């Protein structure tokens, strides 16, 4: 973790000191007129409504499962990936996002069942890749190494990747595996949104304590982790909004 953070810090320092790369001062940037800002806001709201309408109309459609990143087709769409430990609820999250009665992903009680890169499409809105889980799967060391290689290959090859949604279990204490994956994603400069799943299993006070503990241990920005329940659908709209914003090239707030 220290090496990765040091590498990131070095890259940031190099960028700041390189000629011609220094960011312009906010004080020197021209401000748009109030009319232009209002027009931009209206345009943004229209784009969000159109995007979410596409989601509701098309739902999440299964494209295929692939053994390696090289086998995956390149869809002309911004791409989102779902990452997390085995049995954290990635398949359940995907089914909740789909908004359909028929499940698009197989949710298994056996950790580590998702061993392939599963690709889904949301109309003309975006693509979603369900990555293999990690941490709990009772498989051989060779299989674990293969998973790691595939995920690394995926991060390097998917140029259209816009966001990684890292799922963590709200019922569990913060994990070193989750922290390591956050460092891994930071190394590849992938914007990441941390989502706490299975929130319906906790009482309000327990949930507040869990979210605070996760935010503190993983050093998350304000507003993360996003609470989510595949059972009650709490957090579904907020998660789609975050995905849409990142797919459109905006920064996470």
């Amino acid at each position: 973790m220290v090496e990765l953070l040091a590498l990131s810090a070095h890259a940031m320092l190099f960028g700041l000191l390189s000629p011609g790369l220094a960011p312009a001062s906010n004080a020197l940037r021209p401000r748009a007129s109030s009319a232009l800002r209002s027009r931009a806001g209206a345009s943004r709201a229209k784009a969000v409504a159109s995007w979410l309408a596409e989601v509701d109309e098309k739902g999440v459609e299964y494209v295929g499962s692939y053994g390696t990143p090289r086998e995956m087709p390149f869809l002309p769409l911004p791409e989102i990936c779902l990452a997390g430990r085995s049995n954290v609820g990635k398949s359940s999250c995907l089914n909740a996002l789909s908004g359909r009665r028929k499940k698009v992903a197989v949710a298994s009680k056996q950790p580590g069942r998702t061993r392939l890169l599963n690709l889904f499409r949301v109309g003309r809105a975006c693509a979603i890749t369900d990555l293999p889980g990690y941490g709990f799967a009772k498989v051989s060391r060779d299989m674990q190494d293969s998973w790691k290689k595939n995920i690394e290959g995926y991060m390097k090859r998917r140029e259209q990747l816009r966001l990684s949604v890292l799922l963590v279990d709200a019922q569990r204490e913060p994990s070193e595996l989750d922290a390591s994956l956050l460092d891994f994603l930071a190394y590849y400069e992938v914007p990441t949104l941390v989502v706490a799943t299975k929130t319906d299993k906790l009482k309000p006070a327990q949930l507040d304590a869990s979210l605070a503990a996760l935010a503190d241990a993983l050093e998350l920005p304000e507003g993360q982790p996003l609470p989510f329940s595949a059972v009650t659908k709490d957090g579904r709209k907020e998660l789609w909004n975050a995905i849409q914003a990142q797919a459109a090239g905006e920064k996470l707030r």
Side-chain angles (χ1 to χ4, degrees):
M1 182 184 299
V2 173
E3 293 178 354
L4 291 179
L5 291 176
L7 180 59
S8 298
H10 176 74
M12 290 174 62
L13 181 62
F14 180 81
L16 288 173
L17 297 181
S18 296
L21 294 182
S25 168
N26 287 332
L28 299 180
R29 291 177 180 169
R31 290 179 57 83
S33 69
S34 58
L36 287 176
R37 290 199 302 273
S38 177
R39 211 176 307 161
S43 177
R44 164 78 179 117
K46 184 177 180 180
V48 170
S50 175
W51 199 91
L52 293 178
E54 183 78 11
V55 170
D56 291 336
E57 178 184 351
K58 300 295 184 181
V60 178
E61 302 170 309
Y62 174 71
V63 175
S65 297
Y66 308 92
T68 68
R70 291 183 179 275
E71 299 173 14
M72 299 177 67
F74 280 90
L75 303 179
L77 298 168
E79 192 162 313
I80 312 300
C81 72
L82 299 181
R85 294 189 296 179
S86 298
N87 208 31
V88 75
K90 289 192 288 90
S91 296
S92 297
C93 176
L94 193 54
N95 288 326
L97 286 175
S98 74
R100 298 291 187 270
R101 289 186 178 182
K102 183 178 180 180
K103 294 181 179 180
V104 296
V106 177
S108 173
K109 293 183 179 180
Q110 179 182 354
R113 178 146 186 179
T114 303
R115 302 183 183 184
L116 300 173
L117 298 157
N118 298 309
L119 182 62
F120 301 83
R121 178 173 182 152
V122 187
R124 294 170 297 174
C126 69
I128 299 177
T129 296
D130 182 14
L131 298 177
Y134 59 90
F136 293 144
K138 296 180 180 180
V139 297
S140 68
R141 184 67 183 180
D142 288 342
M143 179 65 78
Q144 291 281 8
D145 291 341
S146 175
W147 288 359
K148 180 180 178 182
K149 183 178 179 181
N150 272 345
I151 293 176
E152 288 179 343
Y154 172 83
M155 295 298 174
K156 292 177 182 178
R157 288 179 58 82
R158 305 304 281 186
E159 294 181 1
Q160 64 272 55
L161 181 61
R162 296 291 180 269
L163 175 68
S164 174
V165 177
L166 174 58
L167 304 182
V168 296
D169 192 334
Q171 301 174 99
R172 297 182 177 275
E173 294 183 358
S175 162
E176 291 184 8
L177 289 171
D178 295 325
S180 296
L181 184 55
L182 278 175
D183 287 338
F184 176 83
L185 293 167
Y187 177 76
Y188 285 106
E189 299 182 343
V190 180
T192 303
L193 172 66
V194 179
V195 174
T197 63
K198 306 181 183 181
T199 56
D200 57 284
K201 298 183 181 296
L202 298 176
K203 295 179 179 179
Q206 294 175 319
L207 177 58
D208 289 343
S210 173
L211 295 177
L214 287 166
D216 181 61
L218 299 176
E219 299 180 358
L220 301 178
E222 186 178 354
Q224 296 191 38
L226 175 70
F228 182 90
S229 168
V231 176
T232 66
K233 306 299 188 294
D234 287 342
R236 177 179 182 268
K237 180 179 179 181
E238 290 77 7
L239 179 52
W240 267 132
N241 285 340
I243 290 174
Q244 191 278 337
Q246 198 67 22
E250 299 179 6
K251 293 183 179 180
L252 289 174
R253 295 181 179 181

